Every structure is written in structure tokens, then in C-alpha cells.
């Protein structure tokens, strides 16, 4: 997967750009040698302050309670006075106090010492994807500066500590995928800055505290796959004096919530993603849900929801996925369903929908999955569905449909999509339609000229297939050659451990080229590559940072970004047209990123977004804008 990041490894195409790059490097070198050349390597971030005694004791206690099979904490040794110098793995300090403890994917076991409460300046705690057990230390509540807690994918047990309400700056609490029990403490809502709560995939029980539904700045609330019960509070979106409430993503699926769907959810004007599936909800779907302006996915499947398909839902033009599967809904499907212009997935399987399938479904041109199975639908399958060219899944089995299946549908989907409809015909040779030749013009002209033309095509097809196979073979050969080349080169450059390659899902990841750390962000889909340097942040940290514009130029926009750990960086977003192709960009930037000099602003990382966004991350210069600095040189 990973490309090598050295221009020397590129193929011919890049040669001209290599020369450009060399020229640039030469110029840079001349510039450098005109000043001092002493410490090109040592851009260490150590501010020279030895670690405080309490912090050192805290770290030593943490080490002794963790089980470190791989020896990743071997560097936590000696007198410890150098703990803040960058010598200790996973530790970042400011003025002798630990501000970040980050050791994800290190195979750590044991437990997390309560002495973590001694790291009074801690801002970020990231130990996700280890095998750490025992309780989540209550002492976290002592950390007044704590902003991010990432302990997901471990084996923590016991409850979410009540004391967590004592961290006034907390923004992210991710304890998902552990074995936590007990309830959700309502003290959690004391943290009015919370942006993301993820307690999913635990055994948390009890009800959802009202106070949590009122957190004004919350954007993500993930509580799915727990044992929560009681009704979902009808208090959403009531607190913010500014009117807009920030919640974008609400996941409560796979719990035991009962009662109705709260009407107040419709106040969440930023909501994009709502899943209440696999609970015990009853009552009907409130009309008001049809007023969520940004909703993209709505999943109410596998509950006991009754009543009708509210016409107001058809007003959700931003909706991409609607899942009402496995409820007791009984009504016709509204004609106005084509108001869901952006819909791609519609499933109403296993309900009791009545009446005919509205022909207007054929207007939802992007529909790719349509599941109407196991209902009480009658009438014919509208011919307009043949117009849905992107349809890859279609199922109407288990209804009371009749008549002839539209031709393209019957060719595209096999008989299981149509079975258990006593009067439906023409979808397979074993279920022919009554021989009375349907003189109706729409079906016969489309069938009869189709058959011969298909036969004529098939010889053409043969040639096409042959050519296709040939091209595929050549491509395969090319790929194999390329693989061999790349492997040979990575072998000669620097060995990366197998564990590095395994760790790629969320958060940080050791990286591709020497001196650089890369990450393929699970949440964001982008790719972050770090160069050596004091700042280690994830793509997520970067994208979630608060930013203000410092300046604009023809090359792009420069922002000052404040990361969760309080550090500041300058981020330059390159204008799309100016930037080159991804690979060229990567390899050139990788070279530039290794240049370290006191007189040069160090590039710390670059980020390649899933849509081709290109960000360069530099040290932040408190005085003067980066743009001025860059163009001054
Ligand atoms: C501490 O560990 C580092 C890295 O493992 C090693 O280089 C150093 O010699 C050790 N120091 C002491 C005092 O053991
Ligand atoms: C939970 O963590 C385990 C390993 O600790 C992993 O295999 C599993 O995929 C994770 N589950 C989720 C939902 O992330
Ligand atoms: C709630 O926050 C206030 C102010 O930040 C703090 O004094 C108080 O101790 C917190 N309450 C709990 C239960 O943590
Ligand atoms: C929440 O945690 C689950 C399981 O670890 C993960 O799959 C999901 O991406 C997380 N979501 C957020 C917003 O953190
Ligand atoms: C929840 O509890 C059940 C029963 O004790 C157990 O089998 C399951 O593994 C637990 N799940 C988690 C995520 O801890
Ligand atoms: C209201 O919005 C302003 C500006 O967006 C913000 O500074 C302020 O904190 C918000 N107030 C509340 C209560 O959210
Ligand atoms: C919904 O379920 C609750 C208990 O779970 C029950 O009290 C209530 O009557 C039910 N409502 C409807 C409309 O069935
Ligand atoms: C859909 O929206 C329009 C305009 O926003 C409104 O007039 C209409 O009443 C809505 N339809 C339903 C069924 O809510
Ligand atoms: C529908 O999707 C298109 C393209 O994805 C988008 O531009 C448009 O804004 C969407 N419409 C609504 C109402 O969200
Ligand atoms: C069909 O799918 C393709 C590829 O996913 C997409 O580009 C196209 O816009 C879709 N067509 C419609 C009508 O939505
Ligand atoms: C739907 O059909 C099933 C059996 O096919 C029947 O038991 C049920 O009463 C029907 N529901 C409605 C609302 O007609
Ligand atoms: C399919 O689409 C074409 C062009 O958009 C339209 O003329 C035709 O009436 C549609 N067919 C059906 C059955 O809706």
C-alpha cells in the first residue's frame, strides 16, 4: 500500500520535476550555508527544562502498572531527568510537565495507574488499541487541562468514573470497545466543551441522562451496542442560547431503549446521521422528523414502530439512506417519495406497507438499493423502476404483487428478488406470463428487438472480452513488476516492522519513509505523514483543530490552527490547481520535510485528504504571518 517517498525511486515521468527539485534544494543549500550549518539535524523540541518530580513519579508508577511485553517503555529508564527531552517514548512536555501521553498500538497490558492524576498538565491521553484492563482511573477527574481521552479498543472494566465531570476542558472522551459496565454518569455533562463522546461497544446500562442530551457543543454521541434502557429523553437541543445545536451524529442502535421516538430530535438542525435501530421503540414516526434539514442517514430499523410512513419524510431532500426495516408500519408508501431526490438506499423490508408501489420511485435516479420485501404491497411493479440505472439490489419478494416484471429488472435480478408473490410473472422461465400476447406497446418492442440485437452483439462482445483479458494480463504483469521494484527498494532503505503495517485504523501510525511518520486516517479517509519533530497529532486532531485565517496568496490559504493539546501550528492549504498529482506531491514534500535548520521554518507534516486536499503543516511563528515569512525568503 505505502508508496516510497523518495523522488529517486520514481519513474521517468518525474524526472523533470526531480531536476526542478534538485535546483530548489541547491538554492536552499546555498541559503543555508551562507548562515551557519551546525545543527541541521537537531531540531529537538526540548525546552531544556527537566521534568518535575511529581510528573516523573507519575510516569514511573504508570510504567510499573503497565505490562510491556514488547519493551516499548524501555526508554523510560535512567534518572528520568531527560523524560521531557523526547527520549521517553510517547511523552510530550511543556516546561517540564507532561502534556501528552500517547502510546497507541503498542501491545500494552496491565492496568492504568491512578497516579496518572499526578500529571497535572496532561492534555491528551491516548492509549487506544492496547490490551489494558482494570478500571479507568478516577484520578483523570483531577486533570484540569485534560482535553482528549482516547482509551478505545482496550479491556477496561468497571464504570465510567463519576469524577470525569471535573475536567472542564474535556473535548473528546472515547472509551469505546472496552468492557465497561454501570451507567452513564450525568456528571459527564458538566464538561460543557465536550465535542465527542464515544462509549459504544461496552456493557453500559441504565438510562440516557437528560443532561447529556443538552450538551451544547457536542457533535458526536456514540452509545451504540450497550445495554441502555428506558426511554430516550425528549430534551434534545434545548440548552443552546444561540439556537443551533451542534449534534451531527447520534448513534443509539443495539440497546434496549423503549417508548417513542422523541419529537425534540427535530430540533437538532445540524444532525446528519441518526441511528435508533435494534431497540424496542414503539409509537409512530413523528412528522417533525421530516424537518431535519441536513439528515443523510436515518435508520429506525428493527423496532416496534407502527403507524404510517409520514409524508413529511419525503421532504428530506438531503437523505441518502432510509432504513425502516423490521417494524410494524402499515400505510401506502407516499407518492411524494420522489422528494427524496438524493436517496441511494431505501429499505422498508418486513413491515405491512399496503397499496401499490408508487411509480414515482423511478424518479429517484440515484437509487442503488431498493428493498420492499415482506410487506403487503399489491398491484404491478411500475415500469419506471427500469429507469433506475444504478440499481444494484432490488427485492420485492413476499408481497401480493401481480403482473409482468419489467424487462430490465427481470434480466438484472434473479428470481429470489421476486419470489413469493403469487401473481407476479415473467421473471424466470419457470414463471412465464399467461400466453395472451400482451399487445401493449411498451413491453413488446423492448423485448423483441432486444433478443436478436443481443445475439449480434455477442460476437462483438467476444472480441471485446478478448481485448479486455489481454489488457488485464498486461496490467497484472505491470503490477507484479512494480511490486517487485518497490519491495526491493523498501528492503534496501529502511525496514518497517510488521506491527506498523497492521496498525492502520484510527489514530497515529508509524510510517512509510525514514524520518517520517504517516497515518491513514480511518475517520477522515485522508493520509497524514509526520516528519520528525515535537508535534505528533492525528489527521483527526488536525482537521478538528480550531483555525483562523492568517493570510491568502496565489498558492493557497494559511491558517493558524490550535490543536487539542494546545500547541499551535501553521497550516497551508494548497490551491487545487497549483498542486501536482498526489505521488509527485508526496515525494517532493517528503524531501522538503526533512530539511531542518534554525533559519528555516520546519515543515512538520503534510496531509493528503480524500478529495485531494493538500495541507502542509509548519511550526507556528507567533509573530508575523507565515505567508510573509515564506515570501520574504
Ligand atoms: C535507557 O534506554 C535507552 C533506549 O533504550 C538507552 O539508549 C539508554 O542507554 C538507557 N539508559 C540507561 C541509563 O539505562
Ligand atoms: C474491538 O476491539 C477488538 C480488539 O481489541 C477488535 O478486534 C474489534 O474489531 C473492535 N470492535 C470494534 C467495533 O471496533
Ligand atoms: C463541575 O464543574 C465545576 C466547574 O468546572 C467543578 O467545580 C465541579 O467540581 C464539577 N462537578 C463535578 C461533579 O465534577
Ligand atoms: C466510536 O467507537 C467505535 C468503536 O470503537 C468506532 O467504530 C467509531 O468510529 C467511533 N466513532 C467516533 C465518532 O469516535
Ligand atoms: C458484556 O457482558 C456479556 C455477559 O457478561 C459478555 O459476554 C460480553 O462479552 C460483554 N461485552 C463487552 C463488550 O464487554
Ligand atoms: C454563541 O455563539 C457565539 C459565536 O458563535 C459563541 O462565541 C458563544 O459561545 C455561543 N454561545 C453559546 C451559549 O453557545
Ligand atoms: C410503548 O411501550 C411502552 C413500554 O415500553 C408502553 O408503556 C407504551 O404504552 C407503548 N406505547 C405504544 C403506543 O404502544
Ligand atoms: C414539505 O416542505 C414544504 C416546504 O418546505 C412544506 O410546505 C410542506 O408542508 C412539507 N410537507 C410535509 C408533508 O411536511
Ligand atoms: C443532493 O446531493 C447533491 C450531490 O451530492 C448535493 O449537491 C445536493 O446539495 C444534495 N441535495 C440536498 C438537498 O442536500
Ligand atoms: C450512478 O452511480 C455513479 C457511480 O457511482 C454516479 O457517478 C452517478 O451519478 C449515479 N447516477 C445517478 C443518476 O445518480
Ligand atoms: C398483511 O398480510 C398479512 C399476511 O399476508 C396479514 O396477516 C396482515 O393482516 C396484512 N396486514 C394488513 C395491514 O393488511
Ligand atoms: C424513463 O426515463 C425517460 C427519460 O427520462 C422517460 O422519458 C420515461 O418516461 C421514463 N420511463 C418511465 C417508465 O418512467
Amino acid at each position: 500500500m505505502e508508496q516510497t517517498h523518495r523522488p529517486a525511486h520514481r519513474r521517468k515521468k518525474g524526472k523533470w520535476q526531480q531536476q526542478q527539485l534538485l535546483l530548489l534544494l541547491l538554492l536552499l543549500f546555498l541559503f543555508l550555508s551562507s548562515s551557519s550549518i551546525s545543527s541541521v539535524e537537531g531540531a529537538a523540541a526540548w525546552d531544556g527544562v527537566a521534568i518535575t518530580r511529581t510528573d516523573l513519579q507519575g510516569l514511573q508508577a504508570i510504567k510499573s502498572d503497565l505490562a510491556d511485553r514488547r519493551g516499548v517503555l524501555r526508554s523510560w529508564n535512567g534518572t528520568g531527568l531527560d523524560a521531557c527531552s523526547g527520549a521517553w517514548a510517547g511523552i510530550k512536555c511543556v516546561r517540564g510537565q507532561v502534556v501528552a501521553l500517547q502510546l497507541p498500538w503498542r501491545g500494552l497490558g496491565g492496568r492504568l495507574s491512578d497516579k496518572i492524576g499526578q500529571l497535572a498538565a496532561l492534555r491528551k491521553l491516548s492509549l487506544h488499541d492496547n490490551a489494558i484492563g482494570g478500571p479507568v482511573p478516577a484520578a483523570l477527574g483531577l486533570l484540569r487541562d485534560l482535553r482528549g481521552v482516547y482509551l478505545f479498543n482496550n479491556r477496561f472494566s468497571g464504570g465510567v468514573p463519576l469524577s470525569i465531570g471535573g475536567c472542564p476542558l474535556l473535548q473528546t472522551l472515547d472509551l469505546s470497545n472496552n468492557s465497561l459496565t454501570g451507567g452513564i454518569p450525568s456528571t459527564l455533562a458538566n464538561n460543557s466543551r465536550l465535542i465527542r463522546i464515544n462509549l459504544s461497544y461496552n456493557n453500559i446500562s441504565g438510562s440516557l441522562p437528560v443532561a447529556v442530551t443538552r450538551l451544547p457543543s457536542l457533535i458526536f454521541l456514540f452509545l451504540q451496542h450497550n445495554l441502555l434502557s428506558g426511554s430516550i429523553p425528549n430534551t434534545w437541543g434545548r440548552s443552546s442560547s444561540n439556537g443551533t445545536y451542534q449534534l451531527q451524529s447520534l448513534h443509539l442502535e443495539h440497546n434496549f431503549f423503549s417508548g417513542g421516538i422523541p419529537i425534540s430530535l427535530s430540533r437538532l438542525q445540524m444532525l446528519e446521521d441518526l441511528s435508533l435501530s435494534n431497540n424496542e421503540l414503539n409509537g409512530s414516526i413523528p412528522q417533525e422528523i421530516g424537518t431535519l434539514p441536513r439528515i443523510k442517514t436515518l435508520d429506525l430499523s428493527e423496532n416496534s414502530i407502527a403507524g404510517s410512513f409520514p409524508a413529511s419524510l419525503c421532504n428530506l431532500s438531503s437523505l441518502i439512506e432510509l432504513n425502516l426495516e423490521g417494524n410494524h408500519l402499515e400505510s401506502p408508501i407516499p407518492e411524494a417519495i420522489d422528494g427524496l431526490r438524493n436517496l441511494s438506499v431505501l429499505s422498508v423490508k418486513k413491515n405491512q406497507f399496503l397499496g401499490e408501489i408508487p411509480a414515482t420511485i423511478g424518479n429517484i435516479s440515484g437509487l442503488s438499493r431498493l428493498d420492499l420485501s415482506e410487506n403487503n404491497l399489491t398491484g404491478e411493479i411500475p415500469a419506471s423502476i427500469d429507469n433506475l440505472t444504478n440499481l444494484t439490489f432490488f427485492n420485492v419478494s413476499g408481497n401480493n404483487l401481480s403482473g409482468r416484471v419489467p424487462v430490465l429488472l427481470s434480466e438484472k435480478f434473479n428470481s429470489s428478488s421476486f419470489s413469493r408473490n403469487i401473481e407476479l410473472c415473467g421473471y424466470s422461465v419457470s414463471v412465464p406470463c399467461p400466453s395472451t400476447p400482451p399487445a401493449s406497446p411498451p413491453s413488446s418492442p423492448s423485448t423483441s428487438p432486444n433478443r436478436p440485437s443481443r445475439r449480434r452483439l455477442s460476437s462483438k462482445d467476444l472480441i471485446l472480452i478478448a481485448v479486455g483479458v489481454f489488457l488485464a494480463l498486461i496490467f497484472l504483469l505491470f503490477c507484479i513488476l512494480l511490486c517487485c521494484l518497490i519491495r526491493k527498494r523498501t528492503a534496501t532503505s529502511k525496514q518497517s516492522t510488521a506491527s506498523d503495517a497492521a496498525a492502520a485504523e484510527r489514530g497515529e501510525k508509524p510510517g512509510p519513509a525514514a524520518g517520517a511518520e504517516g497515518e491513514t486516517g480511518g475517520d477522515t479517509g485522508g493520509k497524514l505523514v509526520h516528519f520528525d519533530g515535537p508535534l505528533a497529532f492525528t489527521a483527526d486532531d488536525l482537521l478538528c483543530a480550531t483555525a483562523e485565517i492568517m493570510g491568502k496568496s496565489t498558492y493557497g490559504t494559511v491558517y493558524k490552527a490550535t490543536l487539542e493539546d494546545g500547541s499551535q501550528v501553521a497550516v497551508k492549504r494548497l490551491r487545487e490547481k497549483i498542486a501536482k498529482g498526489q505521488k509527485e506531491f508526496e515525494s517532493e514534500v517528503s524531501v522538503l520535510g526533512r530539511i531542518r535548520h534554525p533559519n528555516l521554518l520546519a515543515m512538520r507534516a503534510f496531509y493528503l485528504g480524500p478529495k485531494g486536499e493538500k495541507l502542509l503543516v509548519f511550526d507556528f511563528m507567533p509573530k508575523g504571518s507565515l505567508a510573509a515569512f515564506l515570501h520574504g525568503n
Side-chain angles (χ1 to χ4, degrees), residues 333 335 354-362 370 372 376-386 394-397 399-407 409 417-418 421-427 433-434 436 438-443:
I333 297 172
E335 288 279 321
L354 314 162
E356 304 202 348
I357 301 173
T360 48
I361 281 188
L370 179 57
L372 305 171
N376 290 20
L377 296 166
T378 52
E380 301 195 0
I381 299 176
S384 64
I385 292 184
D386 259 358
F394 179 76
N395 196 344
V396 290
S397 62
N399 279 288
N400 296 324
L401 296 167
S402 53
R404 182 183 290 270
V405 171
V407 179
L409 274 186
S417 291
F418 306 99
N421 282 284
I422 295 160
E423 293 179 81
L424 208 54
C425 67
Y427 55 88
C433 284
T436 45
S440 56
S443 54

Side-chain angles (χ1 to χ4, degrees), residues 178-179 201-203:
N178 281 288
S179 298
Y201 296 92
N202 280 291
N203 270 339

Side-chain angles (χ1 to χ4, degrees), residues 427-450:
Y427 55 88
S428 92
V429 279
S430 60
V431 196
C433 284
S435 54
T436 45
S440 56
S443 54
S444 48
S446 58
T447 38
S448 45
N450 234 3

Side-chain angles (χ1 to χ4, degrees), residues 146-365:
L146 198 60
R147 287 167 168 93
V149 176
Y150 307 84
L151 298 178
F152 55 89
N153 299 348
N154 275 292
R155 297 183 190 157
F156 287 103
S157 56
V160 179
L162 297 182
S163 60
I164 200 77
C167 310
L169 302 180
L170 194 63
Q171 290 177 2
T172 301
L173 178 65
D174 194 337
L175 304 177
S176 63
N177 202 12
N178 281 288
S179 298
L180 299 176
T181 53
I184 300 175
S186 49
T187 52
L188 192 55
N190 203 13
N191 307 313
S192 59
R193 307 250 182 124
L194 270 169
I195 290 173
R196 172 164 24 156
I197 297 178
N198 196 343
L199 301 176
S200 61
Y201 296 92
N202 280 291
N203 270 339
I204 295 173
S205 56
S207 58
L208 173 56
V210 166
V212 171
T213 68
R214 290 180 165 158
L215 276 167
S217 53
L218 202 61
I219 296 178
F220 303 98
L221 181 55
F222 281 61
L223 302 175
Q224 72 270 30
H225 290 269
N226 276 294
L227 311 172
L228 294 165
S229 58
S231 56
I232 301 173
N234 192 10
T235 46
W236 299 94
R238 279 223 177 110
S239 74
S240 173
S241 52
N242 278 359
T244 46
Y245 190 81
Q246 301 302 311
L247 201 63
Q248 281 176 17
S249 209
L250 176 58
H251 282 260
L252 302 179
E253 69 264 26
H254 290 275
N255 277 290
F256 297 95
F257 286 114
S258 57
I261 299 171
I263 292 176
S264 59
L265 286 173
S266 64
R267 290 211 197 93
L268 301 172
Q269 296 290 297
M270 308 299 272
L271 200 61
E272 292 183 359
D273 188 9
L274 174 61
S275 178
L276 305 177
S277 75
N278 291 278
N279 278 289
E280 293 166 3
L281 299 172
N282 63 9
S284 54
I285 303 174
Q287 287 280 343
E288 288 80 357
I289 295 292
T291 63
L292 289 167
R294 295 180 180 225
I295 191 95
K296 292 194 177 125
T297 56
L298 178 57
D299 188 351
L300 305 176
S301 62
E302 306 299 337
N303 280 290
S304 303
I305 301 166
S308 62
F309 187 122
S312 68
L313 282 193
C314 303
N315 261 0
L316 297 173
S317 53
S318 54
L319 203 60
I320 294 171
E321 195 173 329
L322 177 60
N323 190 346
L324 302 174
E325 242 172 79
N327 281 293
H328 308 309
L329 293 162
E330 46 180 336
S331 73
I333 297 172
E335 288 279 321
I337 187 117
D338 61 344
L340 302 172
R341 318 192 269 286
N342 275 347
L343 203 63
S344 167
V345 177
L346 174 61
S347 175
V348 299
K349 179 174 154 182
K350 285 199 278 168
N351 278 283
Q352 283 145 38
F353 281 108
L354 314 162
E356 304 202 348
I357 301 173
T360 48
I361 281 188
N363 296 339
I364 309 175
S365 55

Side-chain angles (χ1 to χ4, degrees), residues 53 58 79 90 242 253 269 331 368 469 525 554 615 633:
R53 203 176 165 70
T79 59
N242 278 359
E253 69 264 26
Q269 296 290 297
S331 73
S368 65
V469 167
T554 45
L615 303 180
N633 283 335

